[in-house]
Each structure stands twice: as C-alpha cells, then as structure tokens.
C-alpha cells in the first residue's frame, strides 16, 4: 500500500507546516518542490541557476522542470511506501502528469485542500521567517521562536525568504488564483479523492490531528496498490 498524500492550498495555507507535522502520522517522506528548488539554488548548480530568477519573482518554474524533479524523487527507495507532496501539482499540466504517473502504478492519492481566508494568508506570509539551515518556519505573530530572530533548533539567525517580500507575495497569490486554484475543479472532474478542510482557524498541531484522522479513516483510507504494469 502506497500512502500518497497531496497537500494542496494557497501559498501560506500551511502546507509545509502540516507536511512536517504529518510525519508523526505517516512515516513517509515530505516532498516539497519549493524546498527542492531552493536546495538547487543553494548548491549553485545549473538547475538552481536556471530557476533562481523565476522563484525570486514569485512566478512558477516550468512544468517540465518540476515534473522531472518530482518523478526522480518519487523513484527513490524511501518514497516507495508513500509520500506527502507539498507544493505540487500547481498547474493543470503538472496535475495531469502526476495523475498519469500514479495511475500507471496503481497508486490512489488523497488530495487535502487546506482552505484559509485571504487576509489570514497575507498576514501569515508577511510575518514568515525561516531558518536558512534547517528550514524550520516561524511566524512573528502566530508562531514566534523562543528568542526573537533565532531558530529554536539550531540557533541560526532567521531570514525572510526572498519571495516573502510583499510585492512578490502578491504575485505568488495571483499565480495561485490563475493556475493552481482551478485544479480543485479538475480533481473533482477526474474523480480524484479530494478532502477540503478549514485550515485557518486552529493551531497547526490541532489541524494536523484532524488531517491525520482523515488520512487514517476507513472510508478515505488508502487501499492496497494494484500491481504496476511491470510487476
Ligand atoms: P509557497 O507555497 O508558500 O509559495 P513554495 O516553497 O511551495 O512556497 O514555492 C516557492 C516557489 O517555488 C514558487 O513561487 C515557485 O516559483 C516555485 N515552485 C514550487 N513548486 C512549484 C511547482 N510545483 N511548479 C512551479 N513552480 C514551483
């Protein structure tokens, strides 16, 4: 049985935070396309150089690039029992690619749409700080570190991500509205398993317990994977 969860939602809806917390519920890797792309940028490799300007502008990286990145990651041994996708798919092309990939392997994913009010999203994104070393996310309003400006886990000075500047935030939200939000309808049309949940009015830990319950519920739960074509 492959436990495939797709966390879907606007930038700032808490996908990354939920994905981290869900590791207590599902022992499967958290696959974030944003984190993977940022890692390539930090490495300074060819892919990183190619995508850096796009990410800094808050627009979407090309479908072929992320599709390949995700496919390679899903082929790794630790993803065979399952995975939590965070930030992918974000366009119709990516969604079709993912569905094709999963269907070919008999994997039935569960899409969880984290619904958060627009004003809450903007407050969250503008207050966001991240540890440049371990990636832990904080928010100066709702989830501050114990010591201002410093990561609780490794003492690194927290930073504002380049794409968390206000003008870029607006662009990211516009991209979500035009390219990603329509996928909800797409998932419905295609009969994918979609669960929508209010993710704006409770603490991340409480939400995570609820999301875990959904994932483990018998009606929505994972069914054994069909053998893939190649056996
Ligand atoms: P958020 O969900 O808060 O926008 P992410 O870390 O998921 O943050 O994404 C940051 C940026 O990385 C996006 O604005 C985009 O440039 C790029 N990116 C991440 N995932 C994808 C994807 N699936 N398709 C295209 N671009 C992506």
């Amino acid at each position: 049985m492959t436990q495939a969860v797709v966390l879907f939602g606007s930038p700032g809806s808490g996908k990354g935070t939920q994905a981290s917390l869900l590791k207590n519920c599902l022992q499967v890797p958290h696959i974030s396309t944003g984190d993977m792309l940022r890692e390539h940028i930090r490495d300074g490799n060819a892919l990183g150089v190619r995508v850096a300007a796009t990410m800094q502008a808050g627009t979407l990286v090309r479908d072929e690039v992320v599709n390949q990145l995700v496919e390679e990651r899903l082929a790794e041994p630790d993803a065979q029992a399952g995975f939590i996708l965070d930030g992918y798919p974000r366009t119709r092309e990516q969604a079709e690619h993912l569905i094709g990939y999963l269907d070919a392997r008999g994997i039935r994913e569960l899409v969880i749409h984290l619904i958060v009010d627009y004003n809450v999203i903007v407050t969250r994104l503008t207050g966001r700080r991240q540890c440049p070393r371990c990636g832990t996310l904080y928010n100066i309003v709702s989830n501050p570190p114990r010591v201002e400006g410093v990561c609780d886990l490794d003492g690194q000075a927290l930073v504002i991500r380049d794409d968390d500047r206000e003008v870029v935030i607006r662009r990211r939200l516009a991209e979500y509205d035009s390219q990603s939000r329509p996928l909800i309808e797409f998932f419905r049309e295609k009969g994918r398993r979609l669960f929508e949940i209010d993710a704006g009015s409770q603490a991340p830990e409480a939400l995570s317990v609820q999301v875990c319950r959904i994932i483990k519920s018998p009606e929505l739960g994972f069914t054994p994977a069909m053998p893939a074509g190649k056996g």
Side-chain angles (χ1 to χ4, degrees), residues 104-106 226-231:
R105 289 160 181 77
M226 304 288 287
K230 51 188 183 312

Side-chain angles (χ1 to χ4, degrees), residues 9-13 15 32-35 37-38 51 54-56 58-63 66 70 86-91 94 125 128 161 163-164 172:
S10 159
S13 60
K15 301 184 297 288
S32 154
T33 41
D35 286 349
L37 291 165
R38 277 186 290 278
V51 302
T54 308
M55 285 182 73
Q56 265 163 27
T59 48
L60 294 181
V61 171
R62 284 183 27 230
D63 291 327
V66 277
V70 170
D86 156 15
Y88 179 92
R90 260 170 145 106
T91 65
Q94 292 175 22
L125 290 175
R128 190 149 83 168
R161 255 167 50 181
D163 63 348
D164 277 344
R172 282 161 60 206

Side-chain angles (χ1 to χ4, degrees), residues 2-6 81-83 102 107-111 193 222:
T2 303
Q3 301 186 306
V5 174
V6 175
F83 44 84
L102 297 178
I107 299 170
R108 286 187 71 213
E109 83 292 352
L110 174 61
V111 181
R193 293 186 303 174
F222 294 102

Side-chain angles (χ1 to χ4, degrees), residues 161-214:
R161 255 167 50 181
D162 273 348
D163 63 348
D164 277 344
R165 285 172 295 120
E166 212 163 325
V167 51
V168 184
I169 286 173
R170 246 177 278 135
R171 171 73 63 76
R172 282 161 60 206
L173 292 174
E175 289 278 88
Y176 176 78
D177 276 337
S178 63
Q179 313 240 50
S180 310
R181 193 189 296 282
L183 293 183
I184 296 296
E185 212 32 61
F186 173 80
F187 291 134
R188 280 209 192 94
E189 273 166 22
K190 298 279 173 193
R192 311 309 288 194
R193 293 186 303 174
L194 171 68
F195 200 91
E196 307 200 85
I197 188 163
D198 169 14
S201 47
Q202 54 185 329
E205 291 76 13
L207 178 64
S208 165
V209 170
Q210 237 183 305
V211 172
C212 184
R213 212 171 288 144
I214 293 164

